[in-house]
C-alpha cells in the first residue's frame, strides 16, 4: 500500500472539532482510492471534493449514493456532461460559457445545478478565476436569468501558495469583502468557499463558510493533482 489510511477517521474528527459548526467541510479525495473515501464516509463525512470529472464520475458509480460530490477543479466544458446527473456543487466556474454548458447539461437531467464563481485572489499567474468586476457583470447580466437550470450560490477562491499569513489574510479578506458587496446584488450568494489544508483556519477567520481540505485528512497525495 502506497498511501496512509490509518488515522483518516481521527484526522477528520480533529478537523471537524476545530471548525465552527456553520462551516461546511468538503473532504477533498482527489487521487485517493475508494477505500480511503469509505473510511471517511464511515466516520460520518458525506461531502467529498474531486478535481477531475471522470475520476469523480467513476467514484460516484462505485460509492454510496448519499455522498454529495463537489467538483472543485478547473472545468473543461466538454466534460460537464459526465457529471450533470449527480454533481451537487460546482466550485470552479470562471466563465459565462461554462455556465451555459452546465445549464444545457443540467436541463437534460431536469436538474438545477448549484455553482460557485471562482474569483482570482492569488497573485500567482497560474491560478484561474474571474476579476471581481467580471463576477459582478455575470451576476447582474440579463442572460443569467435565462439559465434556469443553474443557480449561482456563492464564490470560491484559492489563495497564493505561500506561508506568508499576512498575504493570505489579505487575499481571503478581499474575497470576503467582495462577497458581501455582491450579496447585495444577488441575494442567493450564501457560500464562500475558501481555505485548504494549510490555510483553512485563516480562511475561516476571514469569513469562509466552506473549506476544501484534502491532505490534512487523507495524507499527502502521491502526485501533483
Ligand atoms: C486539491 C485541492 C484542495 C485541497 O488541497 P489540500 O492542500 O490537500 O487540502 C482544495 N481546493 C482545490 C481547488 C484543490 O484542487
Amino acid at each position: 500500500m502506497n498511501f496512509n489510511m490509518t488515522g483518516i477517521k481521527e484526522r477528520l474528527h480533529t478537523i471537524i472539532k476545530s471548525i465552527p459548526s456553520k462551516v461546511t467541510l468538503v473532504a477533498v479525495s482527489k487521487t485517493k482510492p475508494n477505500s480511503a473515501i469509505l473510511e471517511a464516509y464511515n466516520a460520518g463525512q458525506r461531502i467529498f471534493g474531486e478535481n477531475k470529472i471522470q475520476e469523480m464520475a467513476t467514484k460516484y458509480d462505485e460509492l454510496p449514493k448519499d455522498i454529495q460530490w463537489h467538483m472543485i477543479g478547473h472545468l473543461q466544458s466538454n466534460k460537464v456532461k459526465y457529471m450533470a446527473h449527480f454533481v451537487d456543487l460546482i466550485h470552479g466556474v470562471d466563465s459565462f460559457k461554462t455556465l451555459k454548458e452546465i445549464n444545457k447539461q443540467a436541463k437534460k437531467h431536469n436538474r438545477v445545478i448549484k455553482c460557485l464563481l471562482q474569483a482570482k485572489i492569488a497573485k500567482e499567474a497560474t491560478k484561474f478565476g474571474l476579476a471581481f468586476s467580471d463576477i459582478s457583470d455575470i451576476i447582474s447580466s440579463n442572460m443569467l436569468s435565462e439559465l434556469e437550470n443553474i443557480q449561482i450560490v456563492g464564490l470560491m477562491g484559492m489563495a497564493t501558495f505561500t506561508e506568508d499569513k499576512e498575504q493570505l489574510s489579505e487575499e481571503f479578506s478581499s474575497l470576503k469583502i467582495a462577497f458581501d458587496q455582491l450579496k447585495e446584488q444577488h441575494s442567493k450568494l450564501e457560500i464562500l468557499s475558501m481555505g485548504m489544508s494549510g490555510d483553512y483556519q485563516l480562511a475561516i477567520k476571514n469569513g469562509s463558510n466552506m473549506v476544501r481540505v484534502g491532505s490534512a485528512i487523507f495524507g499527502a497525495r502521491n502526485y501533483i493533482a
Side-chain angles (χ1 to χ4, degrees):
M1 247 193 303
N2 57 357
F3 53 89
N4 176 14
M5 256 181 45
T6 57
I8 288 176
K9 179 179 173 188
E10 289 73 16
R11 288 193 293 266
L12 181 67
H13 283 162
T14 303
I15 291 170
I16 289 170
K17 269 189 229 137
S18 76
I19 64 178
S21 58
K22 64 174 196 313
V23 175
T24 302
L25 172 65
V26 179
V28 176
S29 50
K30 63 191 186 194
T31 79
K32 297 296 174 182
N34 290 350
S35 53
I37 296 174
L38 282 172
E39 186 91 7
Y41 178 89
N42 290 330
Q45 182 67 21
R46 290 295 178 273
I47 304 176
F48 292 88
E50 291 282 334
N51 73 336
K52 295 211 165 61
I53 293 175
Q54 269 143 335
E55 181 177 343
M56 185 172 78
T58 304
K59 288 173 173 173
Y60 165 77
D61 284 340
E62 296 171 353
L63 288 162
K65 289 297 173 282
D66 61 342
I67 289 178
Q68 296 164 37
W69 291 101
H70 287 199
M71 175 43 55
I72 62 169
H74 190 250
L75 294 178
Q76 287 171 277
S77 289
N78 60 340
K79 292 191 179 153
V80 170
K81 57 177 174 283
Y82 301 121
M83 64 173 172
H85 55 298
F86 71 91
V87 67
D88 184 66
L89 180 65
I90 301 178
H91 289 234
V93 181
D94 68 355
S95 73
F96 198 81
K97 179 174 164 254
T98 306
L99 277 177
K100 270 168 59 181
E101 176 63 16
I102 297 168
N103 184 72
K104 180 176 149 193
Q105 299 301 334
K107 200 178 182 120
K108 289 183 186 165
H109 298 282
N110 213 0
R111 298 185 68 213
V112 174
I113 296 182
K114 291 175 285 173
C115 299
L116 306 181
L117 294 177
Q118 182 168 357
K120 180 169 163 49
I121 54 172
K123 301 210 164 58
E124 298 152 303
T126 50
K127 298 258 156 81
F128 295 101
L130 293 155
F132 296 147
S133 58
D134 294 332
I135 293 177
S136 175
D137 288 348
I138 289 177
I139 62 179
S140 58
S141 136
N142 287 331
M143 287 187 295
L144 184 64
S145 51
E146 288 164 24
L147 304 184
E148 292 179 335
N149 295 80
I150 56 126
Q151 190 163 46
I152 296 174
V153 294
L155 304 182
M156 178 265 212
M158 267 175 105
T160 301
F161 189 71
T162 175
E163 302 272 296
D164 183 343
K165 292 208 152 87
E166 220 161 288
Q167 186 181 345
L168 289 170
S169 280
E170 251 171 57
E171 292 179 5
F172 288 139
S173 71
S174 73
L175 183 51
K176 167 67 170 156
I177 290 165
F179 176 75
D180 287 340
Q181 284 171 354
L182 292 161
K183 237 172 125 149
E184 289 173 19
Q185 237 176 293
H186 191 77
S187 62
K188 298 213 170 75
L189 295 184
E190 285 167 1
I191 297 173
L192 183 53
S193 164
M194 52 184 199
M196 309 176 22
S197 290
D199 56 20
Y200 68 91
Q201 298 287 11
L202 209 53
I204 292 169
K205 275 198 194 114
N206 285 285
S208 168
N209 60 20
M210 184 174 278
V211 293
R212 310 175 307 269
V213 178
S215 45
I217 298 171
F218 295 107
R221 285 176 294 276
N222 298 322
Y223 58 92
I224 304 291

